[in-house]
Amino acid sequence: MNPLAADAHAISFFGFARQYQRAANLVYESHKTLTNPIYFLYMHAIELALKAFLRAASVPIVADRKRKHHHITELYEECRGLGLRIGPDDAFDLRNVVALLDGANEEQGLRYGRQKGSSLPELCWARDTVEKLLRAVEPSVEKKAEADGIVPERIVKLDMIFGKPT
């Protein structure tokens, strides 16, 4: 594990959550038949949003070896204990979507497939729930960023992309 990743700010996790959500939405809008990739992207957006919420509460992510990183049900319960709510129907909305996606991803099923069948939320339900989650997490992330003096849009790292040599 990268010890520096434990110090990743909530805004970093949240930015990646938004990217996975947007990617899922683009695939959803253009090719709804690509269900496994769409579910995986939404599930990962949820995982990153929950981690953003935890980091906004100054809870370590990577350094805490007890935390099960890809088990979004456990992450959700931890966030719920810290006050995360997306609305009055959390128990029937976010909790169910999280549990269904977590179950479907058992043994990395959404990434690699598996012989055993699974139960999944309807794609539009997953999509709507991810949007509600991100809207609910965003104020905490923004508040933490402001408190820590982080300016949105300021470059904090640089990735270099090389083209194929000709």
Side-chain angles (χ1 to χ4, degrees):
M1 282 188 216
N2 177 357
L4 297 177
D7 295 326
H9 198 277
I11 204 161
S12 296
F13 281 104
F14 190 77
F16 277 109
R18 273 281 181 219
Q19 286 184 33
Y20 277 90
Q21 178 213 22
R22 287 180 182 140
N25 287 347
L26 286 170
V27 178
Y28 175 86
E29 290 162 8
S30 62
H31 295 285
K32 286 186 180 90
T33 58
L34 300 174
T35 56
N36 280 350
I38 297 169
Y39 280 121
F40 175 77
L41 292 168
Y42 283 136
M43 187 215 49
H44 201 55
I46 290 170
E47 179 182 352
L48 292 166
L50 295 173
K51 288 178 177 181
F53 186 82
L54 291 172
R55 290 301 296 136
S58 299
V59 175
I61 300 298
V62 176
D64 185 349
R65 295 190 186 275
K66 293 179 281 182
R67 182 169 287 106
K68 295 191 176 176
H69 292 280
H70 302 298
H71 296 275
I72 59 174
T73 301
E74 292 177 21
L75 290 170
Y76 166 70
E77 291 300 336
E78 190 173 358
C79 291
R80 185 170 150 68
L82 292 169
L84 176 64
R85 302 289 183 277
I86 68 167
D89 294 329
D90 269 15
F92 298 104
D93 204 358
L94 182 56
R95 175 181 274 156
N96 282 334
V97 168
V98 164
L100 288 166
L101 289 174
D102 207 13
N105 197 46
E106 187 178 295
E107 301 168 4
Q108 298 293 315
L110 292 176
R111 289 176 68 185
Y112 303 115
R114 61 183 183 168
Q115 296 298 317
K116 184 175 140 184
S118 56
S119 299
L120 290 155
E122 187 177 26
L123 274 174
C124 62
W125 182 23
R127 178 186 173 147
D128 293 346
T129 301
V130 170
E131 178 58 35
K132 288 177 193 175
L133 173 62
L134 291 174
R135 274 191 265 131
V137 169
E138 191 168 26
S140 299
V141 170
E142 288 176 346
K143 183 177 177 182
K144 178 71 171 161
E146 185 178 324
D148 293 345
I150 293 178
V151 178
E153 308 290 325
R154 181 187 297 166
I155 295 174
V156 294
K157 78 170 192 166
L158 175 67
D159 291 328
M160 296 180 69
I161 299 172
F162 295 88
K164 181 180 176 181
T166 55

